[in-house]
Amino acid sequence: LEWMEHTPPFYSSVDIRNSGFKLAPVDTNLFPGNWNNLTDQMLPLAVQATMAAIEKICPEARNLLIIPENHNRNPSYLMNLAQLQRIFKMAGLNARLGSISPDIKKPTELKLPNGETVLLEPVIRTKRRIGLKYFDPCTILLNNDLSAGAPGILEELYEQYLLPPLHAGWSVRRKSRHFQSYEEVAKRFGKLLGIDHWLINPLFAKVEQLDFNEGTGLDNLATQVDALLTKVRRKYKEYGIKEKPFAIVKADNGTYGMGVMTVRDAKELDDLTKKARNKMGIIKDGLSVQDFIIQEGVQTSERMNDAVAEPVVYTLDRYVVGGFYRMHPERGIDENLNAPGSSYVPL
């Protein structure tokens, strides 16, 4: 019913934590990378979902332009682009990679670890459309989360479908708004099943005007963390859960697992080192952040190869098409696993 009333995101990946007593999504990415970690068995599902999604938007679609991150030459990211291209080609679309980076002035071939190559071509803007030389797409897919804001070249496109829309980029989107909407759905879902929606929904609070470097707003943060942990303790007591609650503080518009920390007691915030404060204040593209979300921590009871793990689920339109476990041998069950040193095992 929800999908009848609302357009699902074209694609997304969702980080899920399963503590045994609670199963909840803790982060949703609308510009998912890591498609290369989906196995070949998952591809037919992804292809079918792509066909269904594209048919709704542009039934006669032939050409699709994928716009990647600007400066990411990481081999794993490039493998992700190759996999996306493969999925669209298998769905019968002519998919090419168009870069909006000022560095890409001519078609540039980049080698992948598996010996294959991807071709990045410079995007050309006309009055109302964008495309490549001799390539006019009807749909443009962003695999670039627009952390630094929406570039002019992507604005005011009147005749092409831009997916996701510009307001889904991190310069506009906020996690707190996302979880507010998710909470409403979780409440209705809980009512339908006759369960407490807390079991699938992490509690959260929002803190604005917080400057970690200057130390301003830290008192307010401590008060909010304390209030949230008190609510969680109450829930734990109600369900006879013996674990110690914790909270995750993260940038409200952050990505790549940057600007994230675990807090087990509000007092810990008084003793933050300068290094820890600097780390929290800066996210991708060197942007400074002042809005944060405090989220109820959901520990993970999942393990892969003796390492702490969390499932990441991939969707296209309203279909789940696959996923993998993100695991991190050096992290604990109450820590963020999206950090250097993490690895992936297919679901």
Side-chain angles (χ1 to χ4, degrees):
L1 288 174
E2 288 297 328
W3 292 143
M4 283 176 178
E5 282 180 38
H6 304 281
T7 307
F10 181 77
Y11 61 175
S12 78
S13 66
V14 185
D15 297 350
I16 297 176
R17 302 281 284 211
N18 168 18
S19 67
F21 55 83
K22 179 166 183 140
L23 176 69
V26 293
D27 211 3
T28 297
N29 184 355
L30 296 183
F31 303 87
N34 287 320
W35 285 90
N36 49 313
N37 292 317
L38 269 58
T39 60
D40 288 350
Q41 291 94 306
M42 295 172 188
L43 286 187
L45 273 176
V47 170
Q48 277 179 314
T50 300
M51 288 161 94
I54 293 282
E55 195 163 340
K56 277 196 301 198
I57 303 155
C58 186
E60 65 287 352
R62 286 287 165 271
N63 293 345
L64 175 119
L65 184 64
I66 302 169
I67 296 194
E69 293 280 345
N70 273 5
H71 307 293
N72 197 336
R73 296 288 179 91
N74 182 326
S76 160
Y77 180 70
L78 297 175
M79 298 274 284
N80 149 70
L81 293 176
Q83 178 84 309
L84 269 176
Q85 217 173 348
R86 188 175 301 126
I87 291 168
F88 288 114
K89 281 185 174 161
M90 286 164 78
L93 291 161
N94 186 3
R96 282 162 70 174
L97 300 170
S99 176
I100 55 173
S101 165
D103 308 343
I104 302 283
K105 294 185 172 65
K106 58 178 200 295
T108 307
E109 206 169 60
L110 299 170
K111 246 189 139 72
L112 303 179
N114 62 3
E116 290 174 26
T117 57
V118 289
L119 182 66
L120 289 184
E121 301 177 71
V123 165
I124 297 166
R125 170 82 201 221
T126 56
K127 201 170 172 193
R128 302 167 79 88
R129 301 174 75 89
I130 62 170
L132 307 173
K133 200 173 180 180
Y134 310 126
F135 184 76
D136 185 24
C138 87
T139 308
I140 289 122
L141 181 73
L142 289 176
N143 197 245
N144 175 327
D145 60 28
L146 308 178
S147 288
I153 193 168
L154 296 178
E155 288 177 336
E156 297 176 15
L157 294 174
Y158 295 112
E159 300 167 354
Q160 290 164 305
Y161 292 96
L162 185 65
L163 305 167
L166 291 181
H167 62 256
W170 280 128
S171 53
V172 180
R173 181 175 176 240
R174 293 293 176 266
K175 293 180 185 183
S176 51
R177 183 72 195 87
H178 174 88
F179 279 103
Q180 199 181 334
S181 304
Y182 174 71
E183 186 172 41
E184 290 165 26
V185 177
K187 277 179 182 164
R188 293 207 286 279
F189 191 61
K191 206 169 166 186
L192 191 85
L193 293 181
I195 62 163
D196 178 352
H197 73 276
W198 174 74
L199 297 169
I200 55 168
N201 179 45
L203 298 173
F204 73 94
K206 184 180 173 180
V207 187
E208 292 172 315
Q209 302 297 306
L210 173 61
D211 190 329
F212 269 97
N213 296 329
E214 297 293 324
T216 47
L218 282 175
D219 298 351
N220 180 25
L221 176 65
T223 310
Q224 297 261 33
V225 167
D226 205 39
L228 187 87
L229 287 173
T230 304
K231 281 186 195 163
V232 180
R233 270 185 216 105
R234 215 171 288 144
K235 277 292 184 190
Y236 278 20
K237 198 173 170 191
E238 182 187 329
Y239 286 99
I241 293 159
K242 299 281 185 278
E243 314 293 339
K244 188 174 160 55
F246 65 99
I248 300 286
V249 177
K250 51 187 172 186
D252 205 4
N253 59 334
T255 175
Y256 283 167
M258 294 170 86
V260 180
M261 73 177 173
T262 301
V263 184
R264 298 168 189 85
D265 188 323
K267 289 191 192 74
E268 294 171 17
L269 294 167
D270 297 340
D271 310 322
L272 283 183
T273 61
K274 194 169 185 323
K275 188 181 169 196
R277 291 228 290 254
N278 287 346
K279 217 166 142 185
M280 283 302 287
I282 300 283
I283 54 163
K284 187 182 158 210
D285 290 344
L287 299 172
S288 63
V289 266
Q290 295 199 319
D291 296 355
F292 288 82
I293 178 173
I294 307 162
Q295 199 176 51
E296 169 192 351
V298 182
Q299 63 177 46
T300 177
S301 57
E302 310 254 1
R303 288 276 184 292
M304 280 315 274
N305 310 340
D306 291 337
V308 173
E310 66 188 2
V312 183
V313 171
Y314 277 64
T315 69
L316 263 159
D317 197 77
R318 54 175 201 231
Y319 309 98
V320 169
V321 295
F324 51 79
Y325 280 103
R326 178 188 288 124
M327 47 184 250
H328 202 305
E330 279 122 55
R331 294 280 168 121
I333 57 172
D334 58 359
E335 289 183 294
N336 166 39
L337 304 184
N338 187 5
S342 62
S343 55
Y344 306 95
V345 175
L347 285 172

